[in-house]
Amino acid sequence: MTTITAETWPVIMEEIAQVMTQNAEHLCEMDAQMGDGDLGLTMKKGYCALPELYRAIEEADMGKHLTKSGMKMSGVVPSTMGTLMSSGWMEAGKKLVGKTQVGPQEYADFLNGFAAGIVKRGKCSVGDRTVLDAIDPAAKAAQQAAEQGQTLEEAAKAAFDAAQAGVEATKNMLPKYGKAAVFSGKALGVVDQGATAGMLLIQGLYQGIQKL
């Protein structure tokens, strides 16, 4: 059965970086309608800084790996979304301290921790039209898949499908935070850019796991 180890994390991180790079322009265009217009560049810069970090870490503990990702991203992209993502990685790391392999349940724990980190830092809830609206359903779907005895790849696919559905659901939500709240009249019928960034993270994780 496929699992993630310290040796294979770089493959996944490189896939996330590639997905963010490929979608950077689109994220910037989305963000320009509701925010500063730099979301794509933030995600590209932040996630492209992580693969090299993983290759340099010899520690087998998965939790320590993930925590260092959050610390690195916090320093590279200290923006609102960068901070939320950093908090996600650090809380996710706490869930996997002592683990040297990530299977279906550990992956669900990772996503649940990531969602908790976003809530802790952003003080947001599901339905507030934020990145959480992609990450939280992904975490719940991964948990359900793990409890049903599905494989890591199946759990990652379930999470990705749920994240996509979560993004679609933001079309019916009004933003409550940041500059997006000022332009809330433009939000209905349009998916949230932050949730889209979260979905792309889940997509990169899934595609990376497929390559293991």
Side-chain angles (χ1 to χ4, degrees), residues 73-94:
M73 181 169 282
S74 179
V76 173
V77 283
S79 62
T80 299
M81 183 59 76
T83 299
L84 289 174
M85 289 285 189
S86 298
S87 297
W89 281 101
M90 286 188 275
E91 287 297 317
K94 293 178 183 179

Side-chain angles (χ1 to χ4, degrees), residues 28-39:
C28 284
E29 291 172 352
M30 293 179 69
D31 195 39
Q33 300 301 314
M34 301 291 291
D36 294 325
D38 61 353
L39 178 60

